[in-house]
Amino acid sequence: MSAGNRGEPAAPHTAEAANPTRATEPTQATNPTQQASPAPPADPAHGPPVRAQPDGWFVVATSGEVRPGKVVTRRLKGQDLVVYRTTDGQLRVVRPFCPHLGAHLGHGGTVRGDRLVCPFHHFQFGPDGACVQTGYGTPPPKARLTGVDFRELDDLVFVWHHAQGKPPQWEVGPLFGPDYPKPHCTPRTLTAHPQDVLENFVDVGHFGPLHGLSLTVLEDAVYDGHRLSIGYGLRPAGARAGKRYSTLPTVRFTMEGLGVIDVTADDMKFGFDLRARICVTPLDDVRSDLRVAVAMRPTGPGRRRVARAVAGLAPTLFARAAAADTKRDAAIWAHSRFTEHPRLAKGDGPIMPFRRWARQFYSTSQPPGTAD
């Protein structure tokens, strides 16, 4: 795993609650040393309007998109980031503008050894962000690129963003173990807010009407600081679902803030375990990138060459199934308006507890009129 912060290597920040609790109400604990606490009241005054953008970890690229010597530009919350990799494989994420005269390093910037070279005057910046050379041989100024906290794990590049500039409040851990193959990642862009995408996973009532799935809640929602987990049993229920989920007897969803959902399904039909990481990244006020990384491993007697070959191909099929389902959801999200005070019915699932849990990830307010 690669780690970085504002020009210096970042030390791990592990946020694990000492006593995770099962509950019907969430906690607001974000401090890594804070114990789980009672849920906040349902009064909207206790949290900012949810149409603000959340703080947290967000995926901006796959590792394969940033090869050694490559410079790419990625969007996060209306701002550009420059992601590059030195020729010896070090990943770096920086703010886009050169401190010399403001050139955008993602438009024409290049990598030379372990240095990022500005396209304008060819000023060079070392791995720590410091300017080490000018383009015309004069002493370099005391200038430094602005680094951004990042982590590289599971073939994904995570970037930390906090509206008030606070350092990482928790860590996203690895999901795919060493016996899993490289995950297959499928990207797409949605007209959707990250919270709407995650709320979909606790919106129990929509699985049948929209996706044709029969759902049984096997594990009630557990709110543990920045994590929320819930377990379901899924099976097809009608022609719309087909048989694409018939191999998933049980599935657990674990949210890590409002940018990451980890999916685990063990003891699947035909002897496989599945891991998937669903990553939602806000590009601006209305659009989000959705990346779904999937990997499978054979278990038991299926750990043969053929089984491993199947495990390498099957994630593509699951990614396609997930894309088909997401397309249905995306059509709803693109034309929806957030309803702050929904008129809920029995069978909707823990929507309001989820929203109260989600408030902890907002540190900025939103102008009036942006929430219903």
Side-chain angles (χ1 to χ4, degrees):
M1 178 179 78
S2 297
N5 62 15
R6 294 170 178 81
E8 300 293 339
H13 305 268
T14 302
E16 295 286 349
N19 294 300
T21 57
R22 181 177 301 275
T24 57
E25 297 291 336
T27 72
Q28 277 189 309
T30 57
N31 189 322
T33 62
Q34 185 175 348
Q35 296 283 338
S37 59
D43 183 356
H46 286 261
V50 294
R51 296 302 92 179
Q53 292 293 350
D55 304 318
W57 291 102
F58 302 99
V59 170
V60 297
T62 65
S63 297
E65 292 169 357
V66 195
R67 302 287 185 185
K70 189 171 183 179
V71 181
V72 301
T73 300
R74 291 293 183 263
R75 199 77 171 161
L76 177 62
K77 298 186 182 181
Q79 298 181 353
D80 281 351
L81 296 172
V82 170
V83 186
Y84 71 97
R85 198 182 297 275
T86 63
T87 54
D88 64 356
Q90 299 180 69
L91 188 75
R92 291 292 179 266
V93 183
V94 297
R95 298 294 176 189
F97 301 110
C98 179
H100 176 218
L101 284 174
H104 195 300
L105 299 168
H107 292 273
T110 57
V111 172
R112 186 176 302 170
D114 65 353
R115 300 176 181 181
L116 180 62
V117 183
C118 175
F120 197 6
H121 297 83
H122 290 188
F123 280 31
Q124 299 183 26
F125 299 87
D128 65 351
C131 184
V132 295
Q133 185 174 327
T134 68
Y136 21 86
T138 56
K142 293 182 178 180
R144 182 180 294 272
L145 301 178
T146 302
V148 178
D149 291 292
F150 70 92
R151 305 287 185 267
E152 184 178 21
L153 68 158
D154 288 341
D155 207 47
L156 299 168
V157 179
F158 294 82
V159 167
W160 173 262
H161 187 279
H162 193 283
Q164 296 180 350
K166 293 182 179 180
Q169 306 294 292
W170 72 86
E171 290 294 323
V172 176
L175 176 66
F176 306 101
D179 50 349
Y180 279 87
K182 179 180 176 181
H184 172 82
C185 190
T186 303
R188 68 174 298 168
T189 300
L190 307 169
T191 300
H193 188 280
Q195 183 170 320
D196 294 342
V197 178
L198 270 72
E199 185 173 287
N200 218 47
F201 290 85
V202 299
D203 179 3
V204 176
H206 92 286
F207 283 94
L210 190 63
H211 301 296
L213 292 173
S214 174
L215 180 147
T216 303
V217 178
L218 301 178
E219 299 178 15
D220 291 333
V222 175
Y223 306 90
D224 178 22
H226 69 277
R227 290 190 178 93
L228 187 163
S229 62
I230 193 167
Y232 298 132
L234 297 175
R235 61 182 179 84
R240 178 179 291 246
K243 295 184 178 180
R244 63 184 182 278
Y245 292 110
S246 61
T247 60
L248 290 174
T250 61
V251 59
R252 171 184 283 184
F253 299 103
T254 302
M255 302 178 191
E256 307 246 6
L258 294 181
V260 181
I261 308 170
D262 292 338
V263 183
T264 61
D266 293 331
D267 301 322
M268 294 169 54
K269 192 176 180 180
F270 307 121
F272 292 94
D273 291 341
L274 176 141
R275 298 291 183 270
R277 185 154 258 176
I278 302 171
C279 306
V280 190
T281 301
L283 302 178
D284 49 40
D285 289 341
V286 296
R287 297 178 306 138
S288 295
D289 267 354
L290 178 70
R291 290 179 175 86
V292 181
V294 186
M296 295 172 60
R297 67 177 179 185
T299 58
R303 298 174 68 89
R304 295 186 296 269
R305 182 177 300 178
V306 173
R308 290 190 175 277
V310 172
L313 296 174
T316 303
L317 302 178
F318 275 93
R320 290 176 182 174
D325 279 330
T326 302
K327 186 176 181 179
R328 297 183 184 123
D329 292 307
I332 304 295
W333 295 327
H335 304 285
S336 295
R337 183 181 67 169
F338 178 75
T339 303
E340 189 170 349
H341 304 289
R343 300 298 183 257
L344 298 175
K346 184 177 180 180
D348 281 329
I351 290 176
M352 296 311 293
F354 163 81
R355 291 185 179 185
R356 290 191 283 276
W357 168 80
R359 286 187 190 140
Q360 66 181 298
F361 305 111
Y362 295 91
S363 59
T364 58
S365 60
Q366 193 81 343
T370 55
D372 186 23

